[in-house]
Amino acid sequence: HTAAGLDTPVFAGALATISRSLKLDNVIPIRCRLAPETIAGLPSFDCVIMLQVFNHLCRAHGTEQGLAMLRALYGKAGRRFIFETEPSYRTNERFRPHLPDMGDDGEAWVKRLFADFGCRATRTIYRDEARERVVVAVEK
C-alpha cells in the first residue's frame, strides 16, 4: 500500500505506530490545508490515515461540510481508511457544538457512518478506554 497521513506534525509518532501495526510500507505524511476547495486536488492513495482531524474539519467548516469533506477524503482512499475519533460528548468544548451527535457510543457511530459510505468492513485497531477514543480501520 501507499498511504498518506493528513494531520499536524505531532501526528508522526502515531503514524509510525499505525504503519507498523498494519504493516503499511511507503507511508508519507502530507501537511496541507484541508478545505472543501482543496480536497478535490488531493491525489488518491491505497490508504488514508486521519487521526482526530474530523473534529477540526467540523469546527472550521460546520457539521454538514465536515461530513461532506470526510466522505470526499474517504473517496481518496483506494483500499483502507484509518479514522480516529471520540464520542462528541467527550470532545473538547470548543469542538462539541460543531460535531454531529454521536450518542453514547462513538465507535458504533463511526462504524455506521462508514457503512453508509459503502465500506466493506470495519475493525477497531485501537481503543483508549479512559477517553473513549477509538481508531477504526475501514476496508473499502
Side-chain angles (χ1 to χ4, degrees):
H1 299 293
T2 300
L6 305 173
D7 209 331
T8 62
V10 175
F11 176 65
L15 180 60
T17 300
I18 288 171
S19 300
R20 279 191 308 273
S21 69
L22 293 176
K23 297 181 174 82
L24 296 174
D25 295 323
N26 304 322
V27 176
I28 306 161
I30 297 174
R31 291 188 62 196
C32 65
R33 185 179 75 79
L34 291 177
E37 64 274 8
T38 62
I39 289 175
L42 289 172
S44 294
F45 294 91
D46 293 328
C47 178
V48 173
I49 303 168
M50 283 182 63
L51 304 181
Q52 292 293 322
V53 177
F54 181 63
N55 294 4
H56 296 278
L57 296 179
C58 288
R59 182 172 182 230
H61 304 285
T63 305
E64 293 306 313
Q65 190 66 260
L67 286 165
M69 292 170 69
L70 179 60
R71 182 184 283 270
L73 288 165
Y74 174 76
K76 296 291 183 176
R79 298 179 65 185
R80 277 191 180 151
F81 193 90
I82 311 299
F83 183 76
E84 178 189 26
T85 196
E86 58 191 340
S88 50
Y89 76 89
R90 291 280 310 194
T91 61
N92 184 293
E93 185 62 42
R94 71 179 190 262
F95 295 108
R96 198 172 300 143
H98 308 285
L99 292 171
D101 181 4
M102 298 176 190
D104 292 340
D105 189 347
E107 182 176 352
W109 181 87
V110 167
K111 290 180 176 185
R112 282 192 307 274
L113 178 69
F114 284 102
D116 290 347
F117 287 0
C119 80
R120 191 169 43 98
T122 57
R123 173 172 59 101
T124 300
I125 59 174
Y126 173 78
R127 181 180 287 113
D128 178 347
E129 300 292 344
R131 295 194 46 94
E132 300 176 45
R133 184 173 286 175
V134 295
V135 178
V136 175
V138 179
E139 302 289 334
K140 293 184 80 175

